[in-house]
Amino acid sequence: MRYRISLFFFLLTVGTLTAQMRKWTLEECVTYAVDNNLTVEQFELDLENARVDRSDAIGNFLPSLNATMNTSGNTGLVLDPTTNVFVTSTIFSASGNVTSGLTLFDGLRNIHRLNRAKLNEIANQYRLDDLVDDIRLNVANSYLNILSNKESLKVAEAQYAVTIEDLKRTRELVESGVVPRGDLLEVEATAATQEQTIINNQNQVLLSRIALAQLLQITDYVNFDIADEEFDVPPSDILKYSPKVIFDKALSFRNDIKFSETGVELAEKDLEIAKGAVYPTVGAFFNYNTRYSDQTRDPFTGEKIAFKDQLWINDGISYGAQLTIPVFNGFSTRNNIRRSEIGVEQARLQLEQAKLDLETTINQAYVDVQNTAKAYEASQKTLEARRTAYEYTKDRFEVGLMNAFDFSQAQSRVDNAEAEVVRNKYNYIFRIKVLEFFYGLPIVLN
């Protein structure tokens, strides 16, 4: 029994630690962010409301059907509802009716309302999809930021390890009298500076992890981390296309553009609905009614007529049609039409502004890719030159031909060059993915 209990707690502890040590991939982060984002949930509810509105619009084509029943008791001089004669008595009466109504014509507004409801559902879907696109980009950016900070940390730790070896070598050179003791202090100062850099990089890793966790709405920052993935600069042909080609392609599928285009169609439907108010409205109705009174008697026998018999004896049917012609409503119809016309113009301007913003964004993204590509290539060349210079200065330092200050400066330049390569690398990767995203390619990092 003790063995089983110990085994149970051991497995429970291992399972807990495994859950805490889970590391998230980019795909998992994107999926989780989309599934748990509060704004996404709100937009999904808006989409559900739009579907309910479409159901309402369909219901406007169907006839209405309502039933009512009334019962009452009266004492004194009252009107007998079955004979329409005033009597002085105590009467218990009941009545019921079933009414149905149907709109035959209302200036085609029911048709326009249905089409508008369908468009509104589509618009809400575009808005939701556009939000999901933004979340994917933001998550990818935060994810790459963590990877960049982690790689910078690895570079700083590797640089520190090299400096420790240089420190050991410098002590030997000082003891052998090749270099003065002051040079040892300079190398020790360099090591201390690198220790501070490592601490700063660790903080940056932690802060970027917290930023991604907040984006995913995860509160357990301590146990949240991403997978240790290696991302190289992906091969891409995106720069083979001009910004105009990318823009034209984006216009065909971008959800924000589709949302704005649907906004114009919605405004046009609102205008058609407003114009429909100037036409007459034709409706039809049908009514079945019956009544009962405890004072109703058979004229031949004088006996009270039973309740169920009165229901068919006193029943009646009415039916007909109604025509409503709008003549004057205080300028409200005319003003509603004008407001709708203004709404159409506003929607068209919003669409043009959305296209202009998209074109500006794509042009900026295109320039960013070009600039970051050049910066990444230049930083690689700089790092190679700094490393070569460092090896040269190291050889001179070890034979006493260079002081420790100049040697530490050469090493510092290598450190800065390596850090710059890391920053430019991940910045370049993200800029490529952004531009590819505008071209319709998925955010996939291999």
Side-chain angles (χ1 to χ4, degrees):
M1 179 62 69
R2 291 181 179 178
Y3 171 76
R4 291 180 179 178
I5 294 176
S6 300
L7 179 60
F8 171 77
F9 281 107
F10 172 75
L11 293 176
L12 180 62
T13 302
V14 171
T16 303
L17 291 175
T18 302
Q20 292 178 345
M21 294 172 60
R22 174 191 174 186
K23 293 188 175 182
W24 297 61
T25 64
L26 176 59
E27 183 178 358
E28 290 174 338
C29 288
V30 170
T31 302
Y32 187 89
V34 172
D35 292 341
N36 295 273
N37 186 272
L38 295 179
T39 306
V40 168
E41 294 179 5
Q42 292 173 356
F43 282 13
E44 287 175 343
L45 292 177
D46 291 339
L47 178 59
E48 189 63 28
N49 271 331
R51 290 171 179 156
V52 174
D53 292 339
R54 178 167 60 88
S55 179
D56 285 339
I58 294 174
N60 290 333
F61 290 90
L62 304 178
S64 62
L65 181 63
N66 298 284
T68 61
M69 185 179 69
N70 297 313
T71 60
S72 65
N74 298 276
T75 301
L77 183 63
V78 295
L79 180 68
D80 189 334
T82 61
T83 61
N84 287 325
V85 175
F86 283 98
V87 295
T88 302
S89 180
T90 297
I91 296 179
F92 175 78
S93 62
S95 65
N97 66 81
V98 177
T99 303
S100 177
L102 177 65
T103 300
L104 301 178
F105 179 78
D106 66 343
L108 303 180
R109 282 180 290 177
N110 276 353
I111 296 177
H112 297 321
R113 289 190 185 101
L114 177 58
N115 291 333
R116 189 194 187 284
K118 293 178 180 179
L119 285 172
N120 190 42
E121 182 180 354
I122 295 173
N124 277 276
Q125 184 65 62
Y126 284 142
R127 187 175 70 144
L128 175 61
D129 293 341
D130 185 52
L131 175 63
V132 171
D133 289 343
D134 291 339
I135 291 175
R136 288 171 178 165
L137 277 178
N138 291 334
V139 170
N141 188 25
S142 295
Y143 196 92
L144 289 175
N145 192 34
I146 297 176
L147 290 177
S148 176
N149 290 331
K150 281 189 171 185
E151 192 162 331
S152 295
L153 176 60
K154 291 179 181 179
V155 169
E157 291 172 342
Q159 293 166 348
Y160 179 71
V162 172
T163 301
I164 293 301
E165 294 298 321
D166 290 339
L167 185 60
K168 294 178 181 178
R169 178 59 178 163
T170 302
R171 287 196 181 97
E172 295 175 356
L173 294 175
V174 169
E175 291 174 358
S176 62
V178 177
V179 297
R181 183 167 296 275
D183 288 351
L184 177 61
L185 298 177
E186 187 67 36
V187 178
E188 289 176 345
T190 300
T193 301
Q194 291 179 341
E195 287 180 356
Q196 185 62 43
T197 301
I198 290 175
I199 294 174
N200 292 336
N201 287 339
Q202 289 173 341
N203 290 335
Q204 290 300 318
V205 171
L206 177 60
L207 291 175
S208 57
R209 282 170 48 198
I210 292 176
L212 180 57
Q214 290 176 335
L215 190 59
L216 270 58
Q217 297 178 358
I218 294 176
T219 57
D220 188 7
Y221 304 140
V222 176
N223 296 313
F224 174 79
D225 199 359
I226 65 172
D228 295 327
E229 301 178 84
E230 292 291 337
F231 289 116
D232 295 326
V233 176
S236 178
D237 296 330
I238 193 63
L239 290 180
K240 292 183 179 179
Y241 306 103
S242 67
K244 182 64 169 58
V245 172
I246 298 175
F247 173 67
D248 291 339
K249 179 71 178 297
L251 287 178
S252 64
F253 72 90
R254 285 285 301 176
N255 290 307
D256 51 349
I257 300 299
K258 295 296 183 183
F259 177 71
S260 297
E261 290 175 344
T262 309
V264 175
E265 296 181 46
L266 284 171
E268 291 173 346
K269 289 300 177 185
D270 288 335
L271 177 59
E272 292 176 343
I273 293 172
K275 288 181 177 180
V278 303
Y279 294 96
T281 300
V282 180
F285 67 89
F286 175 89
N287 176 267
Y288 172 83
N289 63 84
T290 186
R291 61 187 62 84
Y292 162 82
S293 172
D294 64 352
Q295 298 299 313
T296 303
R297 298 177 181 274
D298 189 301
F300 299 103
T301 63
E303 296 180 354
K304 290 184 177 182
I305 301 177
F307 175 80
K308 64 178 182 179
D309 293 332
Q310 289 192 42
L311 293 182
W312 65 266
I313 292 174
N314 299 325
D315 67 348
I317 295 175
S318 61
Y319 49 87
Q322 181 178 5
L323 174 65
T324 302
I325 302 175
V327 178
F328 180 74
N329 294 284
F331 306 114
S332 62
T333 300
R334 185 185 68 179
N335 291 337
N336 287 336
I337 293 175
R338 182 54 187 154
R339 289 191 189 94
S340 299
E341 290 174 343
I342 294 173
V344 171
E345 293 302 319
Q346 289 176 331
R348 288 172 179 169
L349 290 175
Q350 290 174 356
L351 173 59
E352 293 305 316
Q353 185 63 53
K355 291 180 179 179
L356 181 61
D357 292 342
L358 178 61
E359 186 176 17
T360 302
T361 303
I362 289 176
N363 284 326
Q364 183 62 53
Y366 196 89
V367 173
D368 288 342
V369 171
Q370 291 179 320
N371 291 340
T372 53
K374 294 176 182 178
Y376 179 58
E377 182 180 358
S379 61
Q380 288 179 308
K381 293 180 180 179
T382 300
L383 176 59
E384 183 179 354
R386 295 298 185 194
R387 284 174 175 170
T388 302
Y390 171 75
E391 294 298 329
Y392 177 70
T393 56
K394 183 177 181 180
D395 292 339
R396 297 189 64 195
F397 174 72
E398 290 179 351
V399 296
L401 297 179
M402 177 178 287
N403 58 46
F405 177 78
D406 292 335
F407 175 65
S408 64
Q409 290 298 309
Q411 187 173 9
S412 177
R413 285 190 286 269
V414 173
D415 297 344
N416 293 335
E418 289 182 340
E420 190 67 18
V421 167
V422 172
R423 284 192 295 268
N424 289 332
K425 170 188 173 182
Y426 283 96
N427 191 25
Y428 180 41
I429 292 175
F430 180 69
R431 299 302 175 186
I432 288 177
K433 289 302 171 183
V434 169
L435 192 58
E436 289 180 343
F437 190 69
F438 283 122
Y439 193 69
L441 301 179
I443 301 179
V444 178
L445 301 177
N446 298 318

